[in-house]
């Protein structure tokens, strides 16, 4: 039996609208909730008489629209609980309320106030209207006239089937249809006066003019009403203006505005919020607002950078004076929400919160993101930003809500994209939009999602804000780069000499762009400096130096890697005497940084900076920075990132010291990165370097995938050790095993054996994203050279034991079985000492 016909409950209105259908959304634009109620009541009564289930969504502060006996169900979703939670509650009801149900929502306008942005109200409607249409729920909504900007009105108008303007004149109600989708367009903009259940068209020009003159039309020069967020910012600016003009200002009002804006920009994470509250001032927040594209939060990376500057201003004012001026823009998290919704990615993202479905539809989502469109208001703001930067290079950096906070670093999980920013305005705009799409897509990358699953974060709200950061440096011929860049750790996990104080910190320094400091160096070295003993080198046998550098090539409009001496060959404006020195037999100066260490205060300044930040954060910190010398020894430091450094400060070098080795397989020294460790070992997985290096690249990737499968097969309580030649985590299979962190996250330690081929030499990769994640999860990493004097590596004993790989993975092909050797050894022990830089593997 077909369901009863749909009706508004007012026969005359049904006639005006040429009928309503299941799934129609009817939006009433009203002056008051009472006007809306006058249309809701007959609609509800008709539904009751027809035996339809009427679902009432009750969330606004205005009086109840309906009597309880006319509602089948009343649901009370709480907008204050956040956008996602509210949307999911509403949509769960819509999905399960039963066939033939109809719906009524309270007036929507308060949602904009609660979420502090009209755009979020528009986003809610763009998500909800199609769901109601899909499940055939005829639904009433309302918004207040002259309350919303086009950020709410436009998406509502474009998405709904009906929009009806309601106004009063001389005790009569009038309606004017503004949109009637898929119906006769004859009724559009015709005014009808309500007379009981009927609606009489207003034909006379005199009557039309009189009615419209009373409708509170604001005129052509009327400014759009700002939403709550913009009103909040305008109020704060006016308060500071009054303060600067020595007019009376309420301290309580100032503190209240500060708290409201801080909550909106930084969020409610207790530790980060408390730190920001103590270190920032209202002027800092308004400076962010002046450079905020869209609205919403600025994310963890941007917050950490700004808070770090606030810490130095309060605690080390002389260092603060040496900071490069902050010159970044922010893309608020609201733009990310809007982008996902407009490009049909929202529901894929919601399904990623379920551990059973979190990796489904990734290719679909990525394709939609990389081909997605942006709202016009955002594009205009991007144009304005490009007008400010001109053709200066900048970088689009991820700054998600969970990123760089206490407990979760997300190191290297999301993209950063350089925009060299050369060429015509439209080409530069498209390059910017493509870079943003790329960063947005990385939020749905498999590795990022697996990281969130491992950390128990799948169900956490993870919005992607962006940091659009001017690239620190200057132009040198056709290249652009900073003179120095690097990573600083306030606690040094790599103690290669007893004179090194771990609490003094360490930096990893490069010439040129800092990409070589944070990404694994496959083909070069970086300078590792213990801040209390800068002259000590990690290697006692040779002085390896940086020979390549990264820079932006302005003519080619891209980032390049090249030989240092070739890129700077013709440049006379660089203070190379601080960075280079010559050694006998070398044709060109080498990047030793000896002049920098001995002739400037930079190392001491960086040490003080890291200690001040650690003291404020209450935990060790990880900082990315760049440095440029203006003239002589006058330099500017730019803090590019600051986050908690996830490490245990254990320094007990006697862990397991009472054990007496029996059969010993490894007793060697080399770079040991992590904390002192003793552990029983249940299993050893070895990669045979001489076999692995002869495999095709496809087979080398297959080795990495097989290790990942073994990792997942390992019971949670079991402890295993990885041993193999080359650099683990390398992007180039020819230089090491290209595992991702998720492939080895259950291991106790990773031992890198130097010598896969003659040109491969060790580089202490402090500060790289792969190493950061190992340290975060307390996995020790060591690089051992079998050829160094005194190093004993008797792996032949392990190879003499039968491999159990074929038992674990019967389907593994012959090449994999030959390259990997997996053994379970009883009473096997692993011991690592960070002070002596010594590693032992032995059986008792």
């Amino acid at each position: 039996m077909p369901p009863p016909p749909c009706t508004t409950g007012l026969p005359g209105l049904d006639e005006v609208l040429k009928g309503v259908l299941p799934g129609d959304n009817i939006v009433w634009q009203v002056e008051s909730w009472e006007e809306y109620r006058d249309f809701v009541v007959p609609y509800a009564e008709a539904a009751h008489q027809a035996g339809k289930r009427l679902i009432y969504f009750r969330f606004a502060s205005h009086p109840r629209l309906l009597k309880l006996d006319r509602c089948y169900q009343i649901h009370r979703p709480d907008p204050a609980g956040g956008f996602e939670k509210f949307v999911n509650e509403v949509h769960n009801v819509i999905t399960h309320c039963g066939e033939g149900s109809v719906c009524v929502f309270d007036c929507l306008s308060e949602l904009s106030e609660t979420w502090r942005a009209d755009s979020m109200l528009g986003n809610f409607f763009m998500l909800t209207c199609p769901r109601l249409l899909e499940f055939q729920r005829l639904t009433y909504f309302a918004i207040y006239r002259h309350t919303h900007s086009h950020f709410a009105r436009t998406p509502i108008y474009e998405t709904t089937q009906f929009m009806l303007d309601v106004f009063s004149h001389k005790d009569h109600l009038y309606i004017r249809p503004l949109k009637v989708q898929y119906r006769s367009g004859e009724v559009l903009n015709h005014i009808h006066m309500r007379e009981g259940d009927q609606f009489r068209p207003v034909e006379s020009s005199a009557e039309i003019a009189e009615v419209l003159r009373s409708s509170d039309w604001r005129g052509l020069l009327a400014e759009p009403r700002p939403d709550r967020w913009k009103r909040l910012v305008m109020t704060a600016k006016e308060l500071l203006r009054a303060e600067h003009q020595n007019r009376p200002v309420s301290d309580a009002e100032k503190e209240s505005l500060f708290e409201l804006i801080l909550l909106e920009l930084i969020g409610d994470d207790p530790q980060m919020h408390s730190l920001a509250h103590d270190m920032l001032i209202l002027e800092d927040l308004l400076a962010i607002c002046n450079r905020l594209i869209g609205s919403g939060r600025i994310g963890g990376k941007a917050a950490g950078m700004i808070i770090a500057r606030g810490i130095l201003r309060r605690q080390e004012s002389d260092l603060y004076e040496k900071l490069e001026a902050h010159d970044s823009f922010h893309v608020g998290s609201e733009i990310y929400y809007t982008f996902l919704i407009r490009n049909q990615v929202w529901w894929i993202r919601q399904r990623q919160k379920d551990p059973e479905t979190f990796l489904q539809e990734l290719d679909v989502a990525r394709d939609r993101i990389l081909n997605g469109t942006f709202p016009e208001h955002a594009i205009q703001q991007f144009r304005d930003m490009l007008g400010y930067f001109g053709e200066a290079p900048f970088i689009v950096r991820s700054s998600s809500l969970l990123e760089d906070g206490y407990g979760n670093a997300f190191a290297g999980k999301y993209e950063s994209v350089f925009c060299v920013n050369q060429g015509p305005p439209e080409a530069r705009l498209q390059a910017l939009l493509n870079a943003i799409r790329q960063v947005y897509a990385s939020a749905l990358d498999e590795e990022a999602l697996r990281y969130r699953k491992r950390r128990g974060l799948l169900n956490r709200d993870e919005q992607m804000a962006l940091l659009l950061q001017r690239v620190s440096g200057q132009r040198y011929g056709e290249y652009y780069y900073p003179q120095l860049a690097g990573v600083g750790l306030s606690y040094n996990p790599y103690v290669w000499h007893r004179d090194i104080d771990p609490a003094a910190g360490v930096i990893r320094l490069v010439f040129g762009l800092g990409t070589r400091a944070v990404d694994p160096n496959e083909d070069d070295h970086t300078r590792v400096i213990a801040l209390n003993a800068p002259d000590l080198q990690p290697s006692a046998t040779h002085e390896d130096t940086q020979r390549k550098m990264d820079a932006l090539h302005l003519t080619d409009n891209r980032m390049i890697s090249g030989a240092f001496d070739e890129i700077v060959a013709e440049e006379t404006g660089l203070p190379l005497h601080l960075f280079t020195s010559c050694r006998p037999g070398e044709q060109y100066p080498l990047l030793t940084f000896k002049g920098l260490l001995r002739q400037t205060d930079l190392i001491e300044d960086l040490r003080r900076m890291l200690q001040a930040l650690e003291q404020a954060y209450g935990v060790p910190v990880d900082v990315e920075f760049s440095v440029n010398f203006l003239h002589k020894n006058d330099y500017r430091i730019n803090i590019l990132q600051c986050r908690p450094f996830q490490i245990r400060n254990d320094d007990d070098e006697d862990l397991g010291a009472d054990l007496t080795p029996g059969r010993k397989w490894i007793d060697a020294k080399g770079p040991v990165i992590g904390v002192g460790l003793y552990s029983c070992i249940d299993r050893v997985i070895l990669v045979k370097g001489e076999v692995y290096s002869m495999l095709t690249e496809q087979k080398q990737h297959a080795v990495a995938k097989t290790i990942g499968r073994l990792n997942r097969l390992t019971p949670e309580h079991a402890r295993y050790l990885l041993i193999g030649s080359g650099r683990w985590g390398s992007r180039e299979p020819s230089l090491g095993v290209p595992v991702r962190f998720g492939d080895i996250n259950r291991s106790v330690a990773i031992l890198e054996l130097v010598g896969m081929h003659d040109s491969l030499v060790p580089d202490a990769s402090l500060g790289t994203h792969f190493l950061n994640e190992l340290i975060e999860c307390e996995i020790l990493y060591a690089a051992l050279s079998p050829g160094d004097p005194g190093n004993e590596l008797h792996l032949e004993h392990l190879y003499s034991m039968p491999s159990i790989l074929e038992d674990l993975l019967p389907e593994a092909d012959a090449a994999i079985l030959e390259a990997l050797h997996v053994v379970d050894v009883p009473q096997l022990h692993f011991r690592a000492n960070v002070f002596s830089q010594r590693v032992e593997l032995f059986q008792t």
Side-chain angles (χ1 to χ4, degrees):
M1 179 178 178
C6 288
T7 176
T8 65
L10 299 169
L13 183 58
D14 290 344
E15 184 178 348
V16 169
L17 301 179
K18 309 302 182 186
V20 291
L21 300 173
D24 279 344
N25 291 255
I26 302 177
V27 178
W28 302 85
Q29 183 172 270
V30 297
E31 288 286 348
S32 66
W33 72 272
E34 291 94 344
E35 288 182 350
Y36 179 38
R37 179 197 57 195
D38 288 346
F39 290 97
V40 166
V41 169
Y43 164 71
E45 187 61 36
H48 179 74
Q49 295 298 327
K52 292 179 177 288
R53 299 173 173 176
L54 188 141
I55 312 299
Y56 179 23
F57 291 96
R58 178 81 175 111
F59 50 83
S61 63
H62 61 65
R64 194 171 59 234
L65 297 170
L66 293 168
K67 295 180 179 179
L68 297 180
D69 62 356
R70 288 300 180 260
C71 304
Y72 178 75
Q73 290 177 346
I74 298 180
H75 291 275
R76 302 179 184 274
D78 182 11
F83 178 84
E84 282 198 45
K85 185 172 184 292
F86 185 86
V87 168
N88 288 333
E89 287 181 14
V90 167
H91 284 236
N92 184 58
V93 174
I94 292 170
T95 303
H96 298 103
C97 62
E99 185 176 355
S101 298
V102 297
C103 301
V104 170
F105 282 75
D106 274 347
C107 184
L108 300 178
S109 293
E110 284 188 23
L111 296 179
S112 180
E113 291 292 299
T114 302
W115 295 329
R116 300 186 181 90
D118 271 355
S119 55
M120 298 307 292
L121 171 56
N123 286 338
F124 168 74
F125 199 85
M126 284 192 294
L127 286 172
T128 304
C129 177
R131 180 57 60 95
L132 290 162
L133 180 60
E134 176 186 356
F135 285 93
Q136 299 288 282
R137 317 292 192 217
L138 177 64
T139 304
Y140 271 27
F141 299 96
I143 59 173
Y144 292 133
R145 181 184 288 105
H146 304 315
T147 299
H148 301 288
S149 66
H150 65 90
F151 298 118
R153 293 198 312 270
T154 299
I156 290 174
Y157 178 85
E158 291 176 347
T159 310
T160 191
Q161 286 76 46
F162 289 95
M163 179 170 275
L164 307 177
D165 199 19
V166 179
F167 42 92
S168 303
H169 177 59
K170 293 182 178 179
D171 298 326
H172 287 289
L173 277 179
Y174 294 82
I175 68 163
R176 178 173 53 175
L178 302 178
K179 181 179 182 182
V180 285
Q181 191 176 45
Y182 310 129
R183 313 295 197 278
S184 171
E186 296 178 4
V187 302
L188 278 178
N189 294 311
H190 287 194
I191 299 173
H192 292 74
M193 183 178 74
R194 181 177 177 178
E195 295 178 337
D197 290 349
Q198 301 302 313
F199 287 79
R200 177 180 65 81
V202 180
E203 307 284 2
S204 164
S205 63
E207 188 177 0
I208 292 172
E210 183 179 349
V211 170
L212 290 180
R213 290 277 292 183
S214 68
S215 66
D216 194 26
W217 185 62
R218 299 296 172 88
L220 295 174
L221 300 180
E223 293 288 338
R225 176 183 170 86
D227 59 18
R228 183 184 178 190
W229 168 243
K230 287 190 173 66
R231 296 199 305 273
L232 193 64
V233 173
M234 290 163 56
T235 302
K237 287 182 176 181
E238 179 56 37
L239 184 144
L240 287 183
R241 190 178 301 114
E243 188 174 64
H244 293 156
Q245 295 171 354
N246 295 318
R247 288 185 279 153
V249 170
S250 166
D251 290 341
E253 182 183 7
K254 186 175 181 180
E255 174 64 19
S256 175
L257 286 169
F258 176 82
E259 276 292 341
L260 289 171
I261 297 175
L262 182 66
L263 181 64
E264 180 65 17
L265 293 177
I266 305 297
D268 55 2
D269 176 81
Q271 290 172 289
M272 289 299 290
H273 185 92
S274 176
L275 189 60
H277 181 274
D278 292 342
M279 298 300 166
L280 300 182
I281 57 178
L282 185 57
E283 285 87 342
D284 296 325
L285 302 185
L286 291 182
I288 297 172
C289 297
N290 284 338
R291 290 165 174 250
L292 181 62
I293 296 172
S295 61
R297 296 178 184 174
I298 62 173
K301 187 173 292 179
M305 181 187 67
I306 292 166
I307 291 170
R309 299 176 70 89
I311 292 169
L312 295 182
R313 181 180 58 209
R314 283 180 177 266
Q315 299 185 359
E316 297 287 352
S317 59
D318 62 322
L319 290 182
Y320 180 75
E321 294 302 319
K322 293 184 179 181
L323 295 183
E324 188 173 319
H326 172 58
D327 197 20
S328 300
F329 286 78
H330 309 272
V331 180
S333 56
E334 167 267 320
I335 296 289
Y336 178 64
Y337 267 162
T338 303
F339 183 87
L340 294 185
I341 292 166
R342 286 176 176 263
N343 294 289
Q344 289 79 54
V345 185
W346 175 271
W347 295 114
I348 296 177
R349 181 177 175 273
Q350 293 302 303
R351 288 189 286 275
Q352 289 173 344
K353 295 187 175 186
D354 185 343
E356 300 299 320
T357 60
F358 78 108
L359 293 180
Q360 294 180 7
E361 301 177 272
L362 294 189
D363 291 340
V364 175
R366 181 173 179 82
D367 182 68
R368 290 178 182 176
I369 290 174
L370 294 180
N371 293 284
T373 59
F374 293 85
E376 187 56 41
H377 71 272
I379 291 178
Q380 184 55 53
Q381 288 184 294
F382 291 140
R383 292 185 194 276
D384 293 343
M385 184 212 75
L386 290 174
Y388 173 87
F389 276 145
E391 291 192 65
F394 61 90
I395 183 171
V396 179
R397 307 185 71 190
S398 67
S399 184
S400 80
L401 266 59
L402 298 178
E403 200 170 357
D404 288 4
Y406 286 84
N408 302 291
F410 281 84
K413 291 295 171 286
Y414 301 139
E415 291 282 353
S416 292
V417 182
F418 281 104
C419 288
V420 187
N421 197 32
Q422 307 296 295
E426 193 59 31
R428 293 189 288 120
L429 174 64
Q430 291 308 313
L432 167 60
L433 298 181
N434 286 335
I436 292 173
R437 292 184 183 104
Q438 190 173 336
V439 178
Y440 280 174
S442 71
L444 279 68
D445 180 77
E446 179 177 347
E447 187 174 357
L449 290 168
R450 288 193 181 278
Y451 176 87
R452 290 175 59 191
K453 183 175 185 291
R454 288 195 303 272
R455 309 292 291 180
L457 301 173
L458 276 181
N459 202 38
R460 288 279 300 276
D461 184 14
E462 175 66 325
Q463 303 173 39
M464 181 60 75
L466 301 173
L467 179 62
L468 309 182
Q469 196 167 25
R470 181 188 292 271
V471 177
S472 178
Q474 70 180 71
R475 180 171 189 152
Y476 299 98
E478 58 185 352
Y479 300 104
Y480 187 102
Y481 52 85
Q483 294 167 8
L484 300 170
V487 176
L489 307 176
S490 66
Y491 180 86
N492 185 356
Y494 180 22
V495 182
W496 64 87
H497 192 282
R498 287 192 174 273
D499 289 344
I500 292 173
D501 177 8
V506 63
I507 63 171
R508 188 167 190 245
L509 195 65
V510 298
F511 185 89
L513 293 174
T515 45
R516 301 187 78 79
V518 298
D519 291 327
N521 271 324
E522 314 296 0
D523 54 358
D524 205 6
H525 290 83
T526 57
R527 183 69 159 90
V528 177
I529 301 171
L531 293 180
N532 77 304
D535 289 327
L536 290 176
Q537 291 276 53
S539 172
T541 58
H542 59 275
E543 188 178 40
D544 296 307
T545 62
Q546 178 187 352
R547 297 171 186 266
K548 293 186 177 182
M549 62 175 288
D550 292 347
L552 301 180
H553 196 293
L554 299 176
T555 305
D556 292 350
N557 213 11
R558 63 188 179 91
M559 189 184 83
I560 58 98
S561 294
F564 159 74
D565 54 1
E566 294 177 3
I567 292 177
V568 304
E570 304 299 326
E571 185 50 55
T572 59
L574 285 165
L576 292 178
H577 67 284
L578 296 175
F579 312 137
T580 64
S581 55
C582 291
R583 291 205 304 260
E586 294 285 354
Q587 184 177 1
Y588 298 103
L590 299 176
L591 282 165
T592 60
F593 303 107
K594 286 183 178 179
L596 181 78
L597 301 181
R598 297 171 183 175
Q599 300 173 32
T600 76
D601 297 327
L602 179 62
I603 299 304
E604 179 58 25
D605 285 346
L606 290 174
R607 177 179 176 176
R608 288 173 54 208
M609 180 182 78
L610 289 170
Q611 297 312 307
L613 296 175
E614 177 180 309
Q615 182 180 13
Y617 267 82
V619 295
V621 294
D622 169 359
V623 174
E624 292 180 24
F625 63 90
S626 63
V627 181
N628 292 283
F629 282 78
L630 304 180
H631 52 82
K632 293 186 178 179
N633 291 341
D634 183 19
Y635 49 82
R636 293 291 179 269
I637 303 170
N638 198 2
I639 297 178
L640 307 176
Q641 181 173 309
C642 179
R643 62 186 172 203
F645 182 38
Q646 320 296 336
I647 189 168
R648 292 185 297 113
N649 282 17
D650 295 349
D651 56 3
D652 184 0
E653 58 180 303
D654 296 321
L655 281 172
D658 58 331
L659 286 173
T660 301
R663 171 177 277 182
K664 185 175 290 188
W665 283 283
I666 295 176
D667 187 354
K669 288 188 175 183
V672 177
I673 302 174
V675 294
L677 174 65
Y678 160 71
S679 178
C680 295
I681 298 296
D682 301 300
R683 176 172 295 168
V684 181
I685 300 175
L686 302 101
V687 180
K688 300 177 185 177
E690 69 281 2
V691 177
Y692 175 84
S693 62
M694 300 300 293
L695 296 176
T696 65
E697 183 173 325
Q698 182 180 13
K699 290 295 185 183
Q700 289 172 334
H701 279 289
V703 168
K705 290 181 179 178
T706 303
I707 291 172
R709 293 184 63 193
L710 291 171
N711 180 71
R712 289 186 285 276
L713 286 172
T714 302
E716 291 281 354
H717 63 278
R719 293 151 295 187
Y720 77 90
L721 178 69
L722 283 164
I723 304 176
S725 298
R727 295 191 179 128
W728 289 82
S730 169
R731 295 180 182 179
E732 297 293 332
S734 61
L735 299 174
V737 187
V739 290
R740 294 185 173 189
F741 181 78
D743 297 324
I744 50 86
N745 66 300
R746 294 183 183 177
S747 62
V748 168
I750 301 174
L751 301 187
E752 170 190 306
L753 301 185
V754 179
M756 196 167 91
H757 50 72
D758 292 339
S759 63
L760 189 63
V761 290
D763 177 34
S765 301
L766 284 173
T768 63
H769 295 145
F770 184 76
L771 265 293
N772 271 2
E773 194 158 16
L774 293 180
I775 291 170
E776 179 181 33
C777 292
E778 302 178 2
I779 298 173
L780 187 135
Y781 190 94
L784 306 178
S785 178
D788 281 358
N791 280 355
E792 298 181 31
L793 284 86
H794 302 294
L795 301 183
E796 65 274 10
H797 298 306
L798 292 172
Y799 285 128
S800 68
M801 301 177 182
S803 175
I804 62 171
L805 176 58
E806 192 169 6
D807 297 331
L808 296 172
L809 298 174
E811 71 279 10
D813 67 25
I816 304 300
L817 293 172
E818 181 65 20
L820 285 176
H821 195 77
V822 183
V823 293
D824 289 346
V825 185
Q827 296 180 303
L828 190 63
H829 304 270
F830 177 77
R831 185 161 57 194
N833 188 304
V834 298
F835 291 104
S836 64
Q837 294 286 284
R838 183 182 179 191
V839 171
E840 297 174 276
L841 182 67
F842 57 90
Q843 196 174 23
T844 57

